[in-house]
Amino acid sequence: MSGAWLQIPRPQPKAAIRLLCLPHAGGTASLYRPWAKLLPDSIELVLVCLPGREQRCNEAMPADMQTLITLLSRAIKPVIDKPWAVFGHSMGATVAHELALSLYRQKLCGPEHIFVSAREAPQFQKSGNVHQLSDESLCQQLIELGGTSPELLEIPELRALLLPAIRQDYRLIETSKMSSDQLLDCPITAMLGRNDPELSTDEARGWQQWTNGEFQLNEYAGNHFYLSDCPDLVVGHIVQKLRLA
């Protein structure tokens, strides 16, 4: 296992496939830990722990996407020795896509399926300036998106701990450029909340043009963090797509 980068909350040595999960900007692996109890034994959950959070809070997030992808592609090699899929939420969806492209270039084992959640397709990518907002404006942005407790952001000590890491993530995603226009061969499933203030259905459907394989768009009740409201439904659809239920 690759040290700080990866966690397997419920090891399944006989699993037929592994599901890697990537967090959103400022997010942690804790978003996905409840999934371990929802997945069948045939799917082993692998949580990707990025720098700047949880036990890696003292590590800086790489300044650019390609450095992150180089480090991440190296870290996951021990767990892509069998079929694998990847789920990325928001920023994590872009990281998942770039990770697959990187493995293609290295002629390594690519994913069986990519699930891109709450993120616009590359052709609709917005540059943004969230990482440059004042602390107050950044906190308001996080509250409007959901997924971050307003009470936590009211505690000065926690704000001082959380906001620098969140800014690092937003700077990374808002200044990144797609590394390749290569199409993937694996299926892509795009997922979004119907009331997501940052994403339209057309922007999510745009992922269809980035694969030679099958594409599906799943919409759910909720906002940017719809998956926290209906984890059973989301995980059920993932299992169905992996055809291992």
Side-chain angles (χ1 to χ4, degrees):
M1 194 56 59
S2 296
W5 284 91
L6 306 174
Q7 295 178 7
I8 298 181
R10 192 167 70 95
Q12 298 289 343
K14 296 182 180 179
I17 192 168
R18 292 187 171 109
L19 176 65
L20 279 64
C21 291
L22 289 153
H24 55 283
T28 69
S30 62
L31 176 68
Y32 303 110
R33 286 198 180 99
W35 289 16
K37 295 181 180 180
L38 301 176
L39 289 166
D41 293 348
S42 54
I43 303 177
E44 186 174 56
L45 180 66
V46 180
L47 306 179
V48 177
C49 305
L50 298 178
R53 63 213 77 207
E54 293 188 322
Q55 75 274 17
R56 306 188 69 186
C57 62
N58 293 324
E59 300 178 45
M61 190 72 158
D64 63 90
M65 180 66 73
Q66 288 315 304
T67 300
L68 172 62
I69 295 301
T70 297
L71 295 172
L72 181 55
S73 62
R74 187 182 305 151
I76 68 167
K77 284 181 181 178
V79 297
I80 60 173
D81 59 338
K82 64 168 60 177
W84 64 286
V86 59
F87 182 102
H89 182 69
S90 197
M91 178 187 79
T94 297
V95 176
H97 184 219
E98 286 292 339
L99 180 62
L101 291 172
S102 174
L103 294 175
Y104 273 33
R105 289 193 292 271
Q106 297 176 65
K107 301 189 185 305
L108 296 174
C109 178
E112 300 290 317
H113 203 116
I114 292 184
F115 300 90
V116 287
S117 169
R119 182 68 179 171
E120 69 271 13
Q123 67 270 31
F124 297 117
Q125 184 171 332
K126 311 171 183 76
S127 55
N129 67 341
V130 173
H131 67 287
Q132 297 174 325
L133 295 177
S134 67
D135 285 357
E136 290 299 326
S137 296
L138 177 56
C139 287
Q140 186 59 40
Q141 172 86 4
L142 296 173
I143 291 169
E144 289 175 0
L145 280 178
T148 305
S149 169
E151 291 75 20
L152 288 179
L153 296 175
E154 291 175 359
I155 302 172
E157 294 81 5
L158 285 178
R159 281 174 62 149
L161 179 65
L162 295 173
L163 293 189
I166 292 172
R167 286 188 190 281
Q168 287 181 345
D169 285 4
Y170 270 104
R171 184 187 70 243
L172 178 80
I173 197 63
E174 291 180 335
T175 60
S176 68
K177 302 293 183 182
M178 192 173 62
S179 64
S180 169
D181 59 2
Q182 179 178 1
L183 302 188
L184 301 179
D185 293 325
C186 66
I188 293 179
T189 296
M191 302 166 130
L192 78 156
R194 294 189 185 93
N195 298 318
D196 190 330
E198 291 204 332
L199 182 66
S200 71
T201 301
D202 286 343
E203 289 171 335
R205 187 180 291 112
W207 283 101
Q208 183 170 11
Q209 77 176 58
W210 296 97
T211 177
N212 290 315
E214 297 179 358
F215 174 81
Q216 183 169 321
L217 178 69
N218 289 352
E219 295 187 55
Y220 302 87
N223 58 19
H224 194 68
F225 287 93
Y226 69 89
L227 68 172
S228 296
D229 299 327
C230 53
D232 295 61
L233 183 59
V234 173
V235 171
H237 286 162
I238 292 171
V239 172
Q240 183 181 42
K241 276 297 175 184
L242 297 179
R243 296 185 175 92
L244 293 169

